[in-house]
Amino acid sequence: MSTLRFGVFEVMGPQVGGTYSWAHPLSAGERYADPDHWIRFARATEEAGFDFLFFAGGYGYPIIDGDLSEIAALRGINFGGMDPDYLIPLLAHATSHLGFVVTMPTGVDHPVQLARRFTTLDHLTGGRVGWNIVTGASQNAVADVFGHAEMVSHDTRYAMAAEFVELAVRMWETSWDDDALVMDRATGVFALPDRIHPLDFAGEHYASRGYFSAPPSPQRTPVLFQAGTSPTGRAFAAGNSECVFVQATTPERTAAAVADIRRRADEAGRDGAALRLMAGMTVFVADTPERARELAAEFDALQTDEIVASLYAGNTGIDLLALDPDRTLHQVLDKGGPVGQMGTSNIERFLGDDAPTVREILDQLRGLGTRGFRVVGDGVQVADQIEALAAATGLDGFLIEPAFDAYDIEAFGRLVTPVLRARGRIADGAPGETLRARMSGVPGAARLGGSHPVLSAVSA
């Protein structure tokens, strides 16, 4: 029976998942700017046996009728947050083997800026960092705040991302030979000039000439994560990513997405089975099933149609409350605008011959937001459901999305981790282990490897 991978999905804001829960008595979301809060959180995550702590991030926010969604500001729905990458060194110092994955979008910085930032983080964490590659979220808001004349189209954003990743990986992997850095006190030699190589990259969207000045870190390239299950997003993941976050809808649809990504990776000359595919999961666990159901009910009672619509508008550009509730999403397809350019997978999932009405979509998404599967029960019941979902979907693991902040992670560690560990489903980490070794399951693995398509193209 294979080991499952587990991460925790968070944001440096009041709450995660596009849902409302920070004001619940069990949550400490109001402390999102307090470093002591995050140290407690990271330590609880490590002690619970998780492989990594994942931070989402971005510059967008939900827009309705061309302005900030009122409910987004009122309840803190994907609005109100800070840059989590500044937390990573602090949290790495407070832990011994937990990995850290941080979202940084392509299309905002130049690749050289991001490359140096991740090299620094990889040094400071001892090789425990990963990069979640995104082309952006709430792109209409991002276009506005960065002063762009118009929103970049969906497929163009992915073409830009492919170039961005290629240039960054070339900086990490080809700029310095393994023996270029000397640091010899006796001779006073810092590095060997003939073993440091300039780049001359001229793409359609990015260019760079000269030297990457940051010496190689333990992993060189951070572990490459990616989320996006549109057809273009799947193709990008298959060609670039080591770990992929798949949208969790139904087990059947998730299984189809998993199989499609692995097939695409095989067609790209990679080993599709070696990719680590994970989906989101919200867990309500307690000492008794009854208490777990009470927790889920308390969370659900906080959610409203307005919260659902705000999050969906921020992701897709579609205001569900402005539509005819008795008709399907087909009513907006001929209107142009952002439709098809944002959140395509969250539009396509509600189309087809069995498309739900807008009223049914609101009901389906209530309490879900950007969350994935939901499991409720005591520790054994939750472990059983996790294993059943892994078997039904072909997923390699799950990204736990807390409803009540650190409380949920501590409960998972107390009630679920011992069961999964006893079943051989959790592998304990060790100090000095890189995140790549932990995620790949290959002891001592640190480097991206020459078989990655970007490096294969360089050596060809």
Side-chain angles (χ1 to χ4, degrees), residues 118-123 127 129 172 214-222 447:
F118 269 108
T119 293
T120 304
L121 287 173
D122 201 51
H123 275 296
V129 74
W172 287 319
S217 63
Q219 296 184 124
R220 286 195 178 235
T221 299
R447 299 287 293 276

Side-chain angles (χ1 to χ4, degrees), residues 60-341:
Y61 44 82
I63 285 181
I64 294 180
D65 293 332
D67 199 1
L68 168 65
S69 161
E70 182 177 335
I71 197 72
L74 188 66
R75 300 297 188 202
I77 309 299
N78 282 17
F79 182 76
M82 297 186 291
D83 287 338
D85 36 312
Y86 295 102
L87 280 174
I88 304 304
L90 177 70
L91 303 186
H93 185 69
T95 55
S96 66
H97 54 268
L98 182 68
F100 299 94
V101 182
V102 63
T103 300
M104 292 189 190
T106 59
V108 176
D109 292 335
H110 189 279
V112 71
Q113 295 169 286
L114 179 140
R116 189 163 74 170
R117 193 174 301 136
F118 269 108
T119 293
T120 304
L121 287 173
D122 201 51
H123 275 296
L124 295 178
T125 62
R128 291 191 274 151
V129 74
W131 171 27
N132 181 43
I133 306 162
V134 296
T135 63
S138 301
Q139 282 297 311
N140 47 359
V142 172
D144 286 344
V145 296
F146 280 92
H148 300 160
E150 60 184 11
M151 184 173 62
V152 178
S153 70
H154 177 268
D155 287 355
T156 299
R157 292 200 302 272
Y158 272 106
M160 293 173 66
E163 252 186 44
F164 192 108
V165 173
E166 179 181 353
L167 179 49
V169 170
R170 288 191 184 209
M171 290 176 183
W172 287 319
E173 296 289 342
T174 70
S175 294
W176 293 64
D177 291 349
D178 289 341
D179 58 355
L181 184 65
V182 177
M183 293 294 291
D184 188 328
R185 282 180 175 271
T187 62
V189 174
F190 170 70
L192 302 177
D194 62 338
R195 297 178 190 180
I196 304 173
H197 310 290
L199 285 169
D200 190 353
F201 184 94
E204 182 180 351
H205 304 285
Y206 299 101
S208 181
R209 295 179 304 279
Y211 293 88
F212 183 56
S213 63
S217 63
Q219 296 184 124
R220 286 195 178 235
T221 299
V223 180
L224 301 177
F225 289 72
Q226 191 257 343
T229 48
S230 68
T232 307
R234 293 182 195 180
F236 179 87
N240 292 276
S241 305
E242 300 171 85
C243 304
V244 185
F245 299 136
V246 181
Q247 187 179 46
T249 51
T250 65
E252 295 77 17
R253 287 189 177 186
T254 302
V258 167
D260 182 61
I261 292 171
R262 295 199 197 280
R263 175 187 60 80
R264 290 172 184 263
D266 288 334
E267 292 174 352
R270 307 178 71 196
D271 180 4
L275 269 64
R276 298 294 176 236
L277 274 62
M278 306 175 72
M281 175 180 284
T282 300
V283 176
F284 294 98
V285 64
D287 293 294
T288 65
E290 293 75 20
R291 178 53 184 154
R293 288 193 291 270
E294 288 175 0
L295 290 172
E298 290 171 15
F299 173 80
D300 289 339
L302 295 170
Q303 316 310 317
T304 66
D305 281 354
E306 290 74 20
I307 290 172
V308 173
S310 173
L311 190 280
Y312 194 78
N315 182 255
T316 66
I318 298 173
D319 180 7
L320 293 173
L321 295 184
L323 303 179
D324 183 341
D326 298 320
R327 296 176 61 196
T328 71
L329 279 187
H330 290 92
Q331 64 187 286
V332 301
L333 293 184
D334 297 329
K335 295 183 179 180
V339 178
Q341 301 303 324

